[in-house]
Amino acid sequence: MVDLKYIIFDLEFNQSCNKEDKVLQLPFEIIQIGALKLDENFHTIETFNRYIKPTFYGQISPFVAELTGITTNQLESEAPFPEVYRDFINFIGSTDTLFCVWGLIDMKELFKNALSHELDIDLLPKHYINIQPYTSLHFHLPIKKLLSLELAVSMLHIPMAHPFHNALHDAYYTAEIFKKVYRPSHMPSIQYDPFY
């Protein structure tokens, strides 16, 4: 029997405050990774929550600070992305794992940030389930009618015990949605190609 683990993760990003200094290959720099590891029965067996000291954009943009509550001063004492990435890889572990995300942007930006730091992306699981469109199908909505995380939580009557726009909290809500809408026959995993 396969010892499958689900890694449900969410990211918070920073972006340039000035159009002139935007790093074109990395418009969104990860400043927080939050994740839950679920076993094959959807029980949480471990969590991961790390803030990250920015490398490319030293100042947190006012928009990001207002949305997430994350400040430049708060991140000064945190580890840089390569160190947190290594710890995240250790958290994922060596067992058979499947990423679960709310929207594809987190998959894209995780790989893009790793490549921007010249880190080994082969250490990351390539198979994933994007839960967002399947949640639309759960409510008999068109697959392109994508719901926000907060609206989906509300529609599924999941208690809103934590504020949104925090990577660990949003990963928790994504996991709760996943448990309610998952159907093995309806949610096949897809292999992600970071170079597509």
Side-chain angles (χ1 to χ4, degrees), residues 12-14 29-32 50-55 57-60 64 68-80:
E12 296 300 334
F13 311 112
N14 187 30
E29 182 174 16
I30 297 170
I31 54 173
Q32 186 190 11
R50 293 287 298 277
Y51 291 92
I52 297 164
K53 183 177 182 177
T55 299
Y57 306 124
Q59 296 294 313
I60 300 301
V64 171
T68 66
I70 299 172
T71 66
T72 302
N73 288 343
Q74 177 187 343
L75 300 180
E76 276 300 313
S77 60
E78 301 294 339

Side-chain angles (χ1 to χ4, degrees), residues 1 3 9 24 30 38 41 54 58 91 103 146 159 165 184-185 188 191-192:
M1 182 177 178
D3 185 25
F9 77 93
L24 295 179
I30 297 170
L38 308 185
N41 298 312
F91 165 79
L146 298 177
H165 304 297
S185 59
Q191 182 158 352
Y192 181 70

Side-chain angles (χ1 to χ4, degrees), residues 13-136:
F13 311 112
N14 187 30
Q15 56 195 37
S16 173
C17 297
N18 304 306
K19 291 181 181 178
E20 293 76 24
D21 71 358
K22 182 166 278 191
V23 180
L24 295 179
Q25 76 271 18
L26 190 67
F28 301 108
E29 182 174 16
I30 297 170
I31 54 173
Q32 186 190 11
I33 302 175
L36 283 75
K37 183 187 291 186
L38 308 185
D39 64 18
E40 62 274 9
N41 298 312
F42 301 151
H43 297 130
T44 300
I45 55 177
E46 197 175 350
T47 61
F48 183 92
N49 184 33
R50 293 287 298 277
Y51 291 92
I52 297 164
K53 183 177 182 177
T55 299
F56 298 100
Y57 306 124
Q59 296 294 313
I60 300 301
S61 80
F63 169 76
V64 171
E66 184 176 354
L67 184 69
T68 66
I70 299 172
T71 66
T72 302
N73 288 343
Q74 177 187 343
L75 300 180
E76 276 300 313
S77 60
E78 301 294 339
F81 183 82
E83 183 177 329
V84 176
Y85 181 80
R86 182 197 66 215
D87 293 343
F88 186 50
I89 294 298
N90 290 335
F91 165 79
I92 292 168
S94 59
T95 56
D96 190 15
T97 53
L98 179 66
F99 272 151
C100 298
V101 291
W102 186 262
L104 252 188
I105 188 169
D106 286 351
M107 283 292 293
K108 291 178 180 178
E109 296 307 326
L110 179 61
F111 280 84
K112 193 178 289 186
N113 274 252
L115 288 169
S116 294
H117 285 274
E118 300 181 350
L119 302 171
D120 187 358
I121 61 170
D122 290 335
L123 300 173
L124 291 168
K126 299 297 188 300
H127 285 86
Y128 73 96
I129 295 174
N130 180 4
I131 300 165
Q132 193 176 25
Y134 291 106
T135 305
S136 297

